[in-house]
Amino acid sequence: MKGSPLPKAHSWIPSFRQGRTGKKIWKSRYMYLFVLPGLLYFIVYRYVPLLGSIIAFKDYSAFQGFIDSPWVGFAHFQRIFDNPEVVQVLINTLVLSFLQIAFAFPVPILLALMLNEVRQEWVKRFIQSIVYLPHFLSWVVVIGVVTLFLRSDGLVNNMLGAWFGIDSIPFLQMPSLFKPILVLEVIWKESGWGTIIFLAALAGVNPELYEAAVVDGASRLRRIWHITLPAIRSTVVILLILRLGNVLDNGFEQVFLMLNPYVMEVGNVLDTYVYFKGILQADFSFATAVGLFKSVVGLILVIAANRLAKRFGEEGIY
């Protein structure tokens, strides 16, 4: 019809394309499509379930549902600190986490520093592959291997009896050995993964810095102290901040599979306690309150550690 303008071919394009940010997004639209599956995963399986956290403030009943269950406010959070059993579980969780930070966290750094000094490339790759392989094993397999070695009729006790005449030692039933065994398991299984991260950071170091240090007469330890360690310092800080965010998360599978009645007093942590209370005893509201408490504490620690890192001149995670 005369006088009626024909629709433009690009009239369907959203108005945000006209803005500066919209132009950048549209220019990289195909890259964002690659991000979309991962983003949908976090939205569907991480953020949407957060709506269920409301039952931490209610006396939830499966028959009444989320909406009709009676509101109790912060009563379940008060139980976390009023119940002596929960206090002991919280202490167990913190002790185990700080033991892992103190002993398991530095091991990948030391391995990366040692591998970085290996000059034979095939030797470095071989060792790196060996230490990285346990990362692919499930905790069920790892705990199974540990049990075969440390049980009363296991390999270690058989060797101690045959070589030294020592009676069988109940390693897995000794409360004093429970946490050290867990830390050693984490070191053996996860150190290889951390080593790869630090080696990737060291790959960006300019080789001319080492050459200049050698010309100046710097020893190997001096080169490590003044060149290698500063190169991975920011990576160490970022990983430490992220680890502090999980200080109340010890990993359910590992601890649960290692638990037995003899070590329950020192081995029951928040993850397993939530399982016993929330699943086995159907106390869903209290279990959710404990999980929400863990998340809030982790968030506070991440923010505090990030601000502290920036105060000392590091970039932090945001």
Side-chain angles (χ1 to χ4, degrees):
M1 182 182 296
K2 186 177 180 180
S4 60
L6 295 175
K8 296 182 179 180
H10 60 277
S11 60
W12 57 271
I13 299 176
S15 59
F16 72 84
R17 280 192 59 187
Q18 308 304 322
R20 184 176 180 182
T21 303
K23 289 180 179 179
K24 290 182 178 180
I25 295 176
W26 185 257
K27 184 178 179 181
S28 305
R29 59 188 180 277
Y30 297 112
M31 299 299 295
Y32 284 104
L33 286 177
F34 283 105
V35 178
L36 185 60
L39 185 62
L40 289 176
Y41 166 79
F42 280 99
I43 292 175
V44 174
Y45 294 103
R46 298 291 181 176
Y47 294 110
V48 172
L50 285 176
L51 299 175
S53 299
I54 191 175
I55 67 174
F57 306 93
K58 292 189 170 189
D59 188 10
Y60 174 73
S61 171
F63 300 100
Q64 294 177 296
F66 289 91
I67 305 301
D68 296 331
S69 295
W71 188 273
V72 295
F74 291 93
H76 297 299
F77 294 92
Q78 187 176 357
R79 287 173 58 191
I80 297 177
F81 301 99
D82 291 344
N83 191 338
E85 183 182 13
V86 180
V87 174
Q88 181 61 45
V89 168
L90 183 60
I91 293 174
N92 294 339
T93 304
L94 291 174
V95 170
L96 182 57
S97 289
F98 284 114
L99 284 175
Q100 292 181 356
I101 293 175
F103 295 100
F105 185 80
V107 172
I109 302 175
L110 296 176
L111 284 175
L113 293 177
M114 290 188 292
L115 287 175
N116 190 60
E117 296 299 317
V118 177
R119 295 294 172 255
Q120 295 292 335
E121 192 65 26
W122 70 270
V123 176
K124 180 189 296 187
R125 293 185 181 278
F126 176 76
I127 298 175
Q128 185 176 335
S129 300
I130 293 299
V131 299
Y132 185 50
L133 283 176
H135 174 74
F136 295 98
L137 299 177
S138 69
W139 277 116
V140 176
V141 175
V142 174
I143 302 304
V145 172
V146 172
T147 302
L148 288 175
F149 273 82
L150 298 182
R151 65 186 184 184
S152 299
D153 58 345
L155 179 62
V156 174
N157 276 312
N158 289 335
M159 293 172 60
L160 291 176
W163 295 354
F164 304 102
I166 300 176
D167 294 333
S168 178
I169 302 175
F171 293 104
L172 300 177
Q173 287 78 38
M174 296 176 65
S176 59
L177 294 180
F178 181 79
K179 291 185 177 69
I181 291 175
L182 288 182
V183 174
L184 290 174
E185 290 172 353
V186 172
I187 291 175
W188 181 74
K189 185 177 186 296
E190 302 297 343
S191 295
W193 168 254
T195 302
I196 290 180
I197 296 177
F198 292 116
L199 284 175
L202 290 173
V205 180
N206 190 349
E208 295 181 357
L209 295 176
Y210 292 105
E211 296 173 1
V214 172
V215 172
D216 292 338
S219 64
R220 178 167 294 185
L221 290 178
R222 285 290 183 180
R223 295 197 298 269
I224 293 175
W225 182 259
H226 293 288
I227 300 176
T228 307
L229 285 177
I232 64 174
R233 183 175 59 187
S234 59
T235 305
V236 173
V237 171
I238 290 174
L239 292 179
L240 182 59
I241 292 173
L242 295 176
R243 180 63 185 85
L244 288 175
N246 295 321
V247 72
L248 295 182
D249 187 1
N250 300 124
F252 170 78
E253 291 182 1
Q254 180 194 13
V255 180
F256 179 76
L257 293 171
M258 289 291 294
L259 279 179
N260 58 70
Y262 298 97
V263 298
M264 184 64 69
E265 184 177 354
V266 299
N268 195 15
V269 296
L270 282 175
D271 292 318
T272 54
Y273 186 76
V274 167
Y275 168 76
F276 292 134
K277 295 290 291 185
I279 304 301
L280 299 186
Q281 299 182 21
D283 195 350
F284 300 110
S285 294
F286 180 68
T288 305
V290 174
L292 193 58
F293 169 74
K294 287 172 51 180
S295 301
V296 172
V297 171
L299 178 63
I300 294 173
L301 288 176
V302 167
I303 294 175
N306 190 73
R307 289 186 177 181
L308 185 63
K310 288 189 173 182
R311 182 169 297 182
F312 283 95
E314 298 295 334
E315 293 183 359
I317 58 175
Y318 62 89

